[in-house]
Amino acid sequence: MRILSSVPRKRVSFAQPRQLWRSRRYVSRRRILSLIRDWTGRVGKERRGLPAPLPGSGARNGGNMAGARGGRRAGMEAGARARTGKRPAEQDPELQEAGSSEEPSPFTRPDLSQSAADSESDSSDSEESVFSGLEDSGSDSSEDDASSIEDGKSRNIPKITQDKSQAGATLQNTKEASNQSQEPKKEDEYAEDSSDEEDIRNTVGNVPLEWYEDFPHIGYDLDGKRIYKPLRSRDELDRFLDKMDDPDYWRTVQDKMTGQDMKLTDEQVALVQRLQKGQFGDASYDPYEPALDFFSGSVMIHPVTNRPADKRSFIPSLIEKEKVSRMVHAIKMGWIQPRRPKDSIPQYYDLWAHEDHNAILGRHKMHVPAPKLALPGHAESYNPPPEYLLSEEERLAWEQQEPGERKLNFLPRQFQCLRAVPAYSRFIHERFERCLDLYLCPRQRKMRVNVDPEDLIPKLPKPRDLQPFPTTQSMVYRGHSDLVRCLSVSPNGHWLASGSDDHSVRLWDVYAGRCLKTIPVSGVVKSIAWNPNPAICLVAVAVGDSVLLLNPGLADQQVASSTDQLLSAFSPPEEPARQPVEWQEASGEEREQGLRLQIRHHKPVKQVAWHGRGDYLASVVAAAEHTQVLMHQVSRRRSQSPFRRSHGQVQCVAFHPSRPFLFVASQRSLRLYHLLRQELTKKLMPNCKWVSSLAIHPQGDNVICGSYDSKLIWFDLDLSTKPYKVLRHHKKALRAVAFHPKYPLFASGSDDGSVIVCHGMVYNDLLQNPLLVPVKVLKGHTMHRDLGVLDVSFHPTQPWLFSSGADGTLRLFT
Amino acid sequence: MGGLEKKKYERGSATNYITRNKARKKLQLSLPDFRRLCILKGIYPHEPKHKKKVNKGSTAPRTFYLLKDIKFLLHEPIVNKFRDYKVFVRKLRKAYGKSEWNTVERLKDNKPAYKLDHIIKERYPTFIDALRDLDDALSMCFLFSTFPRTGKCHVQVIQLCRRLTVEFLNYIIASRSLRKVFLSIKGIYYEAEVLGQPIVWITPYAFSHNHPTDVDYRVMATFTEFYTTLLGFVNFRLYQTLNLHYPPKLEGPGDKDSKDQDEGAYAMDSESCLEKLSALSASLARVMVPVTEEEVEMDEFPADGENAEQEEGLRKEREAQEMHKKLFEGLKFFLNREVPREALAFIIRSFGGDVSWDKSVCIGATYSENEPSITHHIVDRPTQPNPVLGRYYVQPQWVFDSVNARLRLPVEEYFPGVLLPPHLSPFVTEKEGDYVPPEKQKLLALQRGETPGYVNESEDEDSEEDEEGESDDQEEEEEEEEGSEKEEEVKLKVMEEQRTQGKKVGVTMGTLKLEDKHRLEQEEANEAKRLAIMTMKKREKYLYDKIMFGKRRKVREANKLAQKRKAHDEAVKAEKKKNKKARRA
């Protein structure tokens, strides 16, 4: 029956325009309920501390809506309060206020409209105010339009008033009109009417009334005529006067549907009061009537039905039997087990009452107990000494480290007092990691080396007991301007010959330290060797691609002259043999200098070495052929190349002191040739890279060689072709090694600028191994172009050591 | 040519080890179950000596278990229980799915459960073994007892942990076996000596935990399961040794309750009793009241030479320990509400002191704040608004430091609002050459019985000297002078003195020469040593170098600490001076 008018501007056609009047009771009840809802909602709102709904268009809706929503709850509250009599009276002014304040609020130009209204009559005045308000709150329509609407409306108003008798709804005199309208009109309609039907004086249907708030009308009556809003011309004063005068003012409410005021009847007021108390609306209804059961609880002697008992009631159930038999079977099979008896043993008892100390399981042999966690140090304290706190850099370093690498797994911090200490955020993590360690971490027993480092140091005889050996630097021979590559001591130990890169050979007095003679030569002196025969005063010097034989003339006149005679005694043979070298005699100025013979090789000569008797001379030539080693006989001025094949580059050669052997050191090996038999006797493998120097023990059974990989290798010829001992004393490449002819000493000079003197005792007893003990590290030479000591040599009789270095000096250590 | 061909990896170490997966398959267990079993039985992987051999030539990273261990696990009854449980869960799920509630109930009644008693007995054949391994158990139980009652694990476990730890603390109090305490930034460390075994555990500070997500609580719960069983048995035994009731019973007022409810007298039977017990303020009831305090008198053995000194030392040590146990005897403490109550109550009570707190803080307060006989009031606030005369107001660190120092330290440095002296770890025993913080030296002097004032001065001098010495050390280090550094130091110092004297007076030739001789000898010895080191074999040299490197690093670290301290002290001094000047101006 309700008609929805979706768009209020459109005329709505009514399907069944019927005049619906109904009994006064029903109407009033429905309406009152809605009203009650309405104003109790306001009360509730007020109670809840919300602001009272603002007057004006939006506010009115809000008030309605809120009232509809919160009305019920508020009503209950009001009922609980049971202040029914006063409540409505209190509410009234609010209602009125809301109504009254409607007037001024929406007006933008109240003065104009007011003034216009004043000029007209009372009735038009009210109309005017209403319409002007409408006009303003609506769209900005022009004055003319407004006036035309006004006219139309004002024309309508009388019509409605004429319809008063029919519709029963008056706009002007609301109170009386309402009273009149309550009267039922047609009894027959009432008969077919359902009691639920609304009082449809306003036929807008179930639409929010705020849709109409911008219009002068509030809806349409049954004839499709507009129902206009009542005039709201009364001001505060009028209202107050009403309040004072009218004894029924407190029971006057506004009907939302019609916009009219209506007075509640006594019945209605009573209903409101009942509802407020939470009682039933119907006064005659008794909620506490005694309850009557439909059926009695007592057993009757007669059955309710006459049906005979089922068969199943006296025949045992097959299903149950099946179930039981299944259970019995399950029990038999052990599928269902009886409830387990409660454990009689207490939770904790004396587990170790009978301790068996011998009951160590077999696995305990391999058992590795978990190490305990490390105990905290000072740094972990909440208030550590200041030195344990990390500085800014340390903290940064700590943060950049991997968590596994950190020395401390926390940042040391300092707190002023215990109160300030926070929880440690990684506590659970640490416990968890410990758990993981305990069951996931593979364990291994590691023997911790608990050695006193002093015990590791070998016990050597004291150097003091091994004296004499050179200990201190006692003389420095200065004079060379470039590095001194080689030196040689005269067999009697008085003189020293040295060859240098400054193209000179110098001869020194050992004891005085004076340079006796300087012999300029044509090139860099690679090697120098004093003839070991004390009866001959001759020095072999390797310069460029020739070997010079010098007679320095320092010894006795007799020795010097005999040497000269020896050299000059040579008479060239009739048919000169073909020789790999050229022998030249010096003459003139060179002879004045001391040069006697010059053996011209065609390749640069690296080394010269005298045989012990002083007649033979071996020279090493830098060539990649078999002619690397040449043997010269000075007395007969003969030379020959003993080898047919080369075995790598020859580094140096040496003669055996007593037997006819020649040692040839190539880069990787050391070969021992028998000169008479002309065969290879031994090949020693020093196992180093590369051999740099070579020295032979005066007894001839032991050989040392130095290598560029800073090893000194001692061979015992009787023992093996493998090294007897490898000494890694130097830090850099060895340049020279030397044996002392008398004392059990040997020395090695190295690029690290030091000379290490070792005691090397060789026993005659073949069963006893040589004793090698380093006794002294001699330092003195300064480093020059990454070179230190270039050559070392012992004094023939004294435990003295000569060394030449890259700093252009020779030094004597005694 | 006869004989069987020997195959590789069929004998020797390859057969002694088994990989984890193989072990799991052999035991027919899922990986979680295998882990549980390993945790409970204490089986851990072994690192074989020749991994490649054991791994049959492969170098893949694998974990190896001892085959013996795994065979040993095969006979474990718990493995069957695991299987039963698996079956039980399957049945239960099926019954739920079919909505057979009777079956569900029946199954739940017969839920397979296992006990760990035999495992504990097996892993720790003697009680001492169990005590030795108690560290982790205690730390874990203390951690679990602080967990919230919701979420991470079963409430029963947490309650059990709480109960067991409280019992243990009560035992420590009753036996007075606490030795050391340490406030670290991680938590509070305690060390107790139980039957001659040092037991160290850590408790977190009383804050709620921020539960991390990358922690597997199941693993921790399994460990806790084992640890609670262990701790329970250990507690039982420990209580027995002291003739205490095992479910602990409170002394005194608890008796009244026992009249009301005979069974309920055991402390554990009700929540409130546990709370009372955990308040740690009341002592426990004994099964038999000891007739007299029987002091274990050591028999006097006839002293003979060397042993006499040793015995004397032992006796002194014992006396000191007895004194230490009675450190707080006769003192009455009151804990303000802001101090950690449980820790302090535990410490004070285990050294014989009386302790109480505000009634509203915790149950078990024995006297109120106004009690006039209170000697020490522990406060952790900058100021005390209305102090009571006749008692010391000290910060909690005083208690900790006193316990560690084994004597009641002077309270002046610990007054509220005062800048506290550093709190040192009692677990560090400085060896020769280690860095000793000056506070520790002071403390050692105090323990020796020297007066603190004198100590202070000498202390400073000492430290300065030390630092000098250490700087000397450094110089020497550069020279790579190994060993005999100290002698060198002494010598250098003497020489320095001489130099200064020489400036003052004049050089006396005689003494100088004498010194030279000494020095020469020194040098000679050093050189001999250096030469000897040169001749060392490669392997020994390596080892020697390593050891010496470690030593040198240690010295370096000690020097660094000393320097840092020196710099700090100087900074503080400068600050003070500045302040003084500012005050004057």
Side-chain angles (χ1 to χ4, degrees):
Chain A
M1 297 297 279
R2 290 182 188 173
I3 294 124
L4 256 174
S5 66
S6 55
V7 184
R9 282 174 194 276
K10 276 187 181 172
R11 240 340 112 75
V12 180
S13 62
F14 298 100
Q16 276 187 337
R18 271 194 301 178
Q19 188 78 4
L20 291 178
W21 287 106
R22 55 193 49 190
S23 78
R24 186 180 163 166
R25 182 173 169 244
Y26 270 103
V27 170
S28 62
R29 190 164 169 184
R30 296 294 303 196
R31 286 189 51 207
I32 283 215
L33 275 174
S34 71
L35 285 170
I36 287 166
R37 220 178 286 141
D38 195 64
W39 62 253
T40 45
R42 280 181 186 226
V43 172
K45 254 198 150 167
E46 189 116 302
R47 284 253 180 86
R48 271 175 268 135
L50 289 172
L54 277 172
S57 56
R60 208 190 296 156
N61 311 334
N64 274 339
M65 301 294 279
R69 251 182 267 128
R72 206 157 296 160
R73 210 187 318 151
M76 300 290 271
E77 276 178 282
R81 294 260 169 148
R83 289 167 63 191
T84 49
K86 285 176 186 175
R87 183 52 55 186
E90 284 174 13
Q91 293 310 314
D92 281 345
E94 287 165 18
L95 279 172
Q96 285 168 357
E97 265 177 28
S100 67
S101 52
E102 263 168 31
E103 257 182 359
S105 64
F107 289 96
T108 49
R109 304 173 295 192
D111 296 346
L112 274 174
S113 57
Q114 285 289 346
S115 59
D118 286 345
S119 60
E120 289 186 16
S121 65
D122 269 351
S123 61
S124 62
D125 176 7
S126 62
E127 280 170 17
E128 182 73 29
S129 65
V130 166
F131 294 139
S132 59
L134 170 92
E135 176 206 282
D136 276 303
S137 62
S139 60
D140 16 21
S141 48
S142 62
E143 286 272 335
D144 299 346
D145 292 343
S147 62
S148 68
I149 293 169
E150 262 174 46
D151 292 343
K153 295 225 169 112
S154 57
R155 251 177 271 129
N156 281 342
I157 291 165
K159 279 183 194 168
I160 294 168
T161 44
Q162 283 163 10
D163 292 341
K164 221 187 272 176
S165 56
Q166 222 179 12
T170 52
L171 293 170
Q172 313 253 336
N173 306 325
T174 50
K175 290 169 199 169
E176 290 150 284
S178 66
N179 280 336
Q180 285 165 10
S181 65
Q182 299 301 324
E183 290 170 16
K185 255 226 147 174
K186 291 171 185 173
E187 289 300 320
D188 51 337
E189 279 209 16
Y190 177 64
E192 57 188 68
D193 196 5
S194 75
S195 61
D196 264 302
E197 256 180 297
E198 292 264 357
D199 165 27
I200 310 186
R201 270 172 302 176
N202 189 355
T203 57
V204 288
N206 191 16
V207 296
L209 284 174
E210 70 256 26
W211 289 356
Y212 285 92
E213 68 196 10
D214 293 343
F215 296 91
H217 59 285
I218 203 161
Y220 305 92
D221 62 8
L222 286 173
D223 297 332
K225 300 271 171 52
R226 287 176 174 179
I227 304 170
Y228 285 93
K229 285 177 184 167
L231 293 174
R232 297 260 163 212
S233 59
R234 286 181 302 173
D235 56 359
E236 269 312 298
L237 196 62
D238 290 337
R239 218 169 280 139
F240 180 72
L241 287 176
D242 274 357
K243 196 174 174 181
M244 290 294 111
D245 297 342
D246 193 357
D248 288 336
Y249 182 80
W250 61 272
R251 57 168 71 182
T252 314
V253 291
Q254 195 193 358
D255 188 352
K256 276 276 142 67
M257 288 300 277
T258 55
Q260 292 172 359
D261 284 349
M262 53 176 288
K263 211 175 271 172
L264 300 185
T265 59
D266 285 346
E267 264 179 350
Q268 288 169 339
V269 170
L271 177 67
V272 168
Q273 283 173 350
R274 275 205 303 279
L275 289 178
Q276 280 178 335
K277 279 179 192 162
Q279 291 168 339
F280 279 93
D282 192 356
S284 60
Y285 177 70
D286 179 13
Y288 304 113
E289 278 176 356
L292 288 173
D293 281 343
F294 281 120
F295 300 101
S296 75
S298 55
V299 180
M300 304 294 175
I301 53 165
H302 295 296
V304 181
T305 65
N306 211 10
R307 205 159 155 250
D310 280 328
K311 190 182 174 186
R312 64 172 179 265
S313 65
F314 49 85
I315 287 185
S317 161
L318 266 179
I319 297 168
E320 277 177 9
K321 191 185 160 193
E322 242 172 54
K323 266 189 188 167
V324 168
S325 67
R326 222 179 286 141
M327 282 161 99
V328 167
H329 182 64
I331 291 170
K332 270 184 190 168
M333 299 302 285
W335 297 337
I336 296 179
Q337 270 160 358
R339 197 160 294 159
R340 190 175 294 136
K342 280 275 173 210
D343 221 347
S344 60
I345 307 166
Q347 196 186 6
Y348 299 122
Y349 51 93
D350 193 358
L351 190 69
W352 291 280
H354 311 287
E355 253 177 23
D356 187 2
H357 290 275
N358 301 323
I360 295 163
L361 296 167
R363 64 181 289 268
H364 278 227
K365 227 185 289 171
M366 290 292 283
H367 181 54
V368 186
K372 294 199 169 189
L373 273 180
L375 290 171
H378 296 312
E380 211 181 305
S381 166
Y382 86 102
N383 182 16
E387 60 267 34
Y388 287 96
L389 293 172
L390 296 188
S391 65
E392 194 62 22
E393 302 145 31
E394 283 168 329
R395 197 178 55 76
L396 279 177
W398 185 90
E399 275 164 4
Q400 276 165 4
Q401 269 176 329
E402 287 287 313
E405 286 173 359
R406 288 171 186 162
K407 215 167 176 197
L408 297 172
N409 58 0
F410 57 91
L411 265 179
R413 290 178 67 191
Q414 191 170 30
F415 296 98
Q416 290 303 316
C417 53
L418 187 57
R419 189 182 65 229
V421 184
Y424 182 58
S425 60
R426 288 192 54 82
F427 194 91
I428 296 178
H429 275 285
E430 281 186 2
R431 284 317 327 157
F432 178 61
E433 273 157 23
R434 172 70 176 166
C435 285
L436 290 188
D437 282 351
L438 283 178
Y439 90 105
L440 278 184
C441 193
R443 296 186 199 166
Q444 189 178 35
R445 219 177 256 282
K446 278 212 168 154
M447 300 313 286
R448 192 160 191 88
V449 201
N450 201 4
V451 203
D452 185 13
E454 301 298 313
D455 295 346
L456 288 172
I457 299 170
K459 292 283 164 287
L460 295 177
K462 273 188 185 169
R464 188 183 284 273
D465 304 339
L466 302 176
Q467 273 170 345
F469 54 83
T471 51
T472 50
Q473 175 184 310
S474 57
M475 198 93 76
V476 181
Y477 306 91
R478 292 180 205 279
H480 283 294
S481 57
D482 209 340
L483 46 90
V484 186
R485 269 191 198 274
C486 47
L487 67 95
S488 182
V489 193
S490 70
N492 56 8
H494 288 321
W495 302 291
L496 185 65
S498 66
S500 160
D501 271 13
D502 59 359
H503 302 247
S504 69
V505 173
R506 278 174 191 259
L507 295 159
W508 310 82
D509 187 345
V510 166
Y511 304 104
R514 278 181 55 209
C515 178
L516 298 174
K517 218 171 194 181
T518 306
I519 305 164
V521 290
S522 57
V524 170
V525 182
K526 285 280 174 62
S527 174
I528 194 164
W530 207 290
N531 193 322
N533 191 345
I536 303 171
C537 179
L538 209 55
V539 180
V541 182
V543 177
D545 48 4
S546 59
V547 174
L548 311 179
L549 293 178
L550 304 172
N551 183 359
L554 294 174
D556 294 342
Q557 283 296 326
Q558 203 179 348
V559 174
S561 59
S562 71
T563 306
D564 280 345
Q565 275 174 16
L566 196 77
L567 289 178
S568 57
F570 171 73
S571 56
E574 289 81 43
E575 37 182 293
R578 276 200 58 204
Q579 293 208 25
V581 294
E582 262 177 65
W583 290 76
Q584 279 184 354
E585 259 191 80
S587 56
E589 197 183 326
E590 282 179 335
R591 197 170 171 85
E592 291 282 298
Q593 292 272 340
L595 181 67
R596 294 293 178 266
L597 274 174
Q598 192 173 10
I599 310 168
R600 283 192 180 280
H601 299 61
H602 303 293
K603 301 269 164 51
V605 183
K606 285 205 292 191
Q607 197 219 346
V608 285
W610 286 101
H611 184 253
R613 285 212 205 109
D615 196 16
Y616 290 96
L617 180 71
S619 64
V620 180
V621 178
E625 301 150 24
H626 60 276
T627 55
Q628 286 184 74
V629 182
L630 296 170
M631 308 279 286
H632 314 280
Q633 191 180 11
V634 176
S635 56
R636 295 168 66 184
R637 298 196 187 173
R638 259 178 34 175
S639 303
Q640 60 172 344
S641 163
F643 301 119
R644 248 171 275 134
R645 275 182 60 210
S646 83
H647 297 279
Q649 198 185 341
V650 176
Q651 298 284 27
C652 52
V653 293
F655 286 99
H656 193 279
S658 51
R659 296 173 68 195
F661 285 126
L662 177 69
F663 292 91
V664 178
S666 66
Q667 278 186 330
R668 298 301 305 266
S669 65
L670 192 58
R671 282 155 202 273
L672 179 57
Y673 292 98
H674 199 287
L675 287 174
L676 294 179
R677 283 189 229 146
Q678 302 197 339
E679 61 179 17
L680 177 69
T681 315
K682 235 168 209 172
K683 186 183 169 194
L684 307 176
M685 302 303 295
N687 196 19
C688 62
K689 262 186 181 178
W690 319 103
V691 176
S692 65
S693 50
L694 176 73
I696 295 139
H697 192 266
Q699 283 170 356
D701 281 343
N702 294 284
V703 180
I704 52 172
C705 63
S707 76
Y708 287 123
D709 54 357
S710 62
K711 286 184 215 165
L712 190 146
I713 298 140
W714 178 288
F715 286 104
D716 194 335
L717 293 180
D718 298 332
L719 199 67
S720 158
T721 58
K722 301 267 157 35
Y724 160 67
K725 210 150 224 180
V726 178
L727 309 175
R728 286 185 199 79
H729 295 170
H730 284 288
K731 297 205 171 61
K732 282 188 176 171
L734 269 75
R735 289 277 164 185
V737 289
F739 266 114
H740 197 282
K742 297 268 161 52
Y743 292 101
L745 289 174
F746 62 95
S748 57
S750 156
D751 277 352
D752 59 9
S754 64
V755 177
I756 294 180
V757 181
C758 299
H759 179 85
M761 184 57 133
V762 176
Y763 300 97
N764 287 329
D765 183 4
L766 284 178
L767 288 176
Q768 208 164 359
N769 286 328
L771 172 74
L772 309 181
V773 182
V775 287
K776 189 73 190 171
V777 178
L778 297 170
K779 284 177 182 165
H781 286 287
T782 52
M783 301 290 290
H784 195 70
R785 280 191 263 158
D786 269 350
L787 294 172
V789 180
L790 293 175
D791 201 1
V792 290
S793 180
F794 277 103
H795 192 273
T797 50
Q798 299 288 334
W800 295 351
L801 181 81
F802 299 95
S803 69
S804 69
D807 54 353
T809 59
L810 292 106
R811 283 160 204 263
L812 168 65
F813 299 95
T814 55
Chain B
M1 287 288 135
L4 286 171
E5 189 191 351
K6 266 189 197 173
K7 278 188 185 165
K8 245 181 169 183
Y9 310 125
E10 283 197 348
R11 63 184 72 200
S13 56
T15 52
N16 287 340
Y17 292 94
I18 186 170
T19 60
R20 191 192 61 185
N21 252 349
K22 274 190 184 158
R24 203 176 56 71
K25 272 179 191 152
K26 189 163 194 159
L27 292 168
Q28 298 182 6
L29 285 173
S30 65
L31 191 57
D33 273 349
F34 179 66
R35 285 195 172 149
R36 271 171 73 81
L37 191 65
C38 285
I39 291 170
L40 295 177
K41 290 284 281 183
I43 303 291
Y44 44 86
H46 281 256
E47 184 80 2
K49 240 183 191 168
H50 306 289
K51 211 165 178 193
K52 203 175 161 192
K53 249 183 219 170
V54 171
N55 214 349
K56 305 201 169 144
S58 148
T59 49
R62 287 209 178 94
T63 46
F64 293 99
Y65 289 84
L66 276 184
L67 189 65
K68 257 189 183 174
D69 281 351
I70 300 302
K71 280 186 177 161
F72 172 68
L73 285 184
L74 273 176
H75 305 293
E76 180 54 48
I78 278 196
V79 177
N80 273 332
K81 295 282 182 188
F82 284 163
R83 290 185 194 129
D84 284 351
Y85 195 81
K86 205 169 68 184
V87 172
F88 161 75
V89 168
R90 204 164 53 209
K91 278 183 182 167
L92 200 67
R93 201 182 298 135
K94 200 170 168 187
Y96 264 116
K98 287 181 169 181
S99 314
E100 293 173 350
W101 307 121
N102 282 332
T103 324
V104 168
E105 213 161 281
R106 202 191 68 231
L107 284 171
K108 274 188 177 167
D109 277 344
N110 273 339
K111 185 178 173 182
Y114 56 84
K115 286 194 138 188
L116 299 175
D117 308 7
H118 65 283
I119 292 184
I120 296 206
K121 187 75 200 276
E122 187 183 276
R123 279 178 70 172
Y124 308 111
T126 60
F127 184 54
I128 296 295
D129 292 336
L131 284 181
R132 245 177 239 153
D133 228 10
L134 212 57
D135 290 15
D136 290 316
L138 277 172
S139 297
M140 193 63 129
C141 287
F142 271 104
L143 171 64
F144 262 66
S145 64
T146 58
F147 277 176
R149 300 293 148 100
T150 50
K152 290 299 169 192
C153 54
H154 291 298
V155 180
Q156 290 91 333
V157 175
I158 295 168
Q159 277 169 344
L160 183 64
C161 283
R162 174 78 186 147
R163 192 191 116 185
L164 291 172
T165 50
V166 164
E167 282 171 11
F168 185 77
L169 291 187
N170 271 303
Y171 166 78
I172 296 291
I173 290 175
S175 64
R176 299 237 175 137
S177 44
L178 192 66
R179 292 287 172 269
K180 292 168 183 173
V181 283
F182 178 48
L183 289 166
S184 91
I185 54 173
K186 294 182 179 175
I188 305 175
Y189 285 90
Y190 301 92
E191 187 188 290
E193 198 180 299
V194 180
L195 303 183
Q197 295 295 326
I199 297 174
V200 181
W201 73 94
I202 178 173
T203 61
Y205 286 114
F207 292 104
S208 65
H209 293 285
N210 194 3
H211 282 288
T213 49
D214 51 345
V215 161
D216 189 356
Y217 280 90
R218 281 177 307 172
V219 170
M220 299 237 284
T222 314
F223 268 102
T224 311
E225 192 184 350
F226 176 75
Y227 286 152
T228 47
T229 322
L230 170 66
L231 192 56
F233 283 116
V234 168
N235 277 349
F236 188 95
R237 175 86 180 199
L238 287 176
Y239 272 70
Q240 223 181 25
T241 56
L242 281 194
N243 276 335
L244 296 167
H245 288 282
Y246 173 55
K249 216 171 169 185
L250 289 173
E251 214 176 37
D255 290 345
K256 282 180 213 161
D257 296 338
S258 67
K259 280 164 196 168
D260 310 347
Q261 27 171 312
D262 286 337
E263 303 300 307
Y266 286 105
M268 284 307 154
D269 287 355
S270 62
E271 270 291 297
S272 75
C273 279
L274 175 59
E275 274 172 24
K276 261 181 216 161
L277 199 68
S278 58
L280 305 171
S281 62
S283 41
L284 301 175
R286 291 180 188 257
V287 176
M288 306 180 290
V289 179
V291 185
T292 47
E293 280 293 324
E294 39 182 320
E295 285 289 315
V296 187
E297 282 290 326
M298 289 296 284
D299 292 343
E300 289 285 332
F301 291 105
D304 53 331
E306 295 170 20
N307 279 1
E309 275 180 26
Q310 232 177 2
E311 264 174 37
E312 186 68 17
L314 275 177
R315 202 176 53 78
K316 269 189 182 167
E317 177 66 19
R318 223 176 299 127
E319 273 174 10
Q321 221 168 61
E322 284 305 311
M323 285 299 290
H324 189 217
K325 279 181 187 175
K326 292 171 184 167
L327 183 67
F328 294 143
E329 204 118 289
L331 298 187
K332 270 190 142 182
F333 289 85
F334 189 84
L335 308 180
N336 238 7
R337 56 175 63 246
E338 70 273 4
V339 301
R341 188 201 65 81
E342 193 169 306
L344 279 168
F346 169 57
I347 294 165
I348 291 166
R349 291 258 302 129
S350 33
F351 289 98
D354 284 327
V355 65
S356 180
W357 45 84
D358 199 278
K359 252 180 206 160
S360 58
V361 173
C362 182
I363 198 170
T366 43
Y367 45 86
S368 75
E369 192 179 352
N370 306 324
E371 176 84 18
S373 59
I374 290 173
T375 54
H376 290 78
H377 192 129
I378 297 179
V379 179
D380 199 0
R381 304 176 183 185
T383 50
Q384 187 65 16
N386 36 0
V388 180
L389 283 182
R391 64 172 79 162
Y392 291 120
Y393 285 89
V394 289
Q395 298 204 34
Q397 196 188 320
W398 180 79
V399 176
F400 289 84
D401 282 351
S402 297
V403 167
N404 292 338
R406 293 177 159 210
L407 47 91
R408 293 180 205 164
L409 290 174
V411 289
E412 289 81 21
E413 289 181 316
Y414 297 92
F415 284 152
V418 166
L419 190 68
L420 287 168
H423 181 57
L424 297 173
S425 165
F427 298 105
V428 180
T429 44
E430 276 91 359
K431 272 173 272 166
E432 186 113 346
D434 284 352
Y435 172 71
V436 186
E439 287 84 9
K440 178 102 180 183
Q441 285 170 346
K442 212 185 285 181
L443 185 73
L444 289 175
L446 258 180
Q447 279 171 340
R448 263 180 266 128
E450 290 166 32
T451 52
Y454 165 68
V455 166
N456 252 339
E457 291 165 10
S458 72
E459 211 325 276
D460 286 353
E461 285 169 14
D462 269 4
S463 65
E464 274 165 37
E465 275 173 15
D466 275 1
E467 277 147 18
E468 275 171 32
E470 270 144 4
S471 60
D472 281 352
D473 277 359
Q474 273 188 328
E475 285 161 26
E476 291 224 345
E477 238 175 85
E478 284 156 25
E479 293 176 2
E480 289 198 343
E481 288 269 342
E482 284 116 1
S484 72
E485 281 168 346
K486 268 173 211 158
E487 287 155 316
E488 283 282 336
E489 257 174 57
V490 170
K491 213 172 53 201
L492 279 175
K493 222 175 263 175
V494 170
M495 283 185 64
E496 243 176 326
E497 279 174 19
Q498 278 176 351
R499 230 176 285 151
T500 50
Q501 279 175 4
K503 273 173 201 164
K504 284 172 199 165
V505 188
V507 185
T508 50
M509 287 303 285
T511 49
L512 259 177
K513 236 183 190 172
L514 207 134
E515 274 310 306
D516 259 351
K517 214 178 236 173
H518 182 66
R519 180 157 199 179
L520 269 180
E521 262 171 36
Q522 276 290 327
E523 263 173 18
E524 216 165 86
N526 276 342
E527 193 172 353
K529 197 175 166 193
R530 225 176 301 143
L531 289 170
I533 287 165
M534 247 167 30
T535 59
M536 269 159 82
K537 279 178 197 157
K538 214 175 178 184
R539 180 186 281 188
E540 282 172 355
K541 183 94 185 287
Y542 176 73
L543 184 61
Y544 179 82
D545 282 349
K546 230 174 149 180
I547 294 172
M548 292 318 284
F549 176 77
K551 276 192 169 177
R552 251 174 271 144
R553 187 177 53 193
K554 225 176 195 178
V555 171
R556 210 162 44 225
E557 270 162 18
N559 285 342
K560 198 176 161 195
L561 283 177
Q563 273 178 348
K564 253 175 140 181
R565 178 64 181 220
K566 202 176 174 185
H568 176 265
D569 285 351
E570 273 169 10
V572 167
K573 251 184 206 170
E575 188 87 339
K576 265 185 192 169
K577 264 186 192 171
K578 215 184 259 176
N579 283 350
K580 257 186 197 174
K581 271 183 189 171
R583 231 175 283 155
R584 271 179 208 162

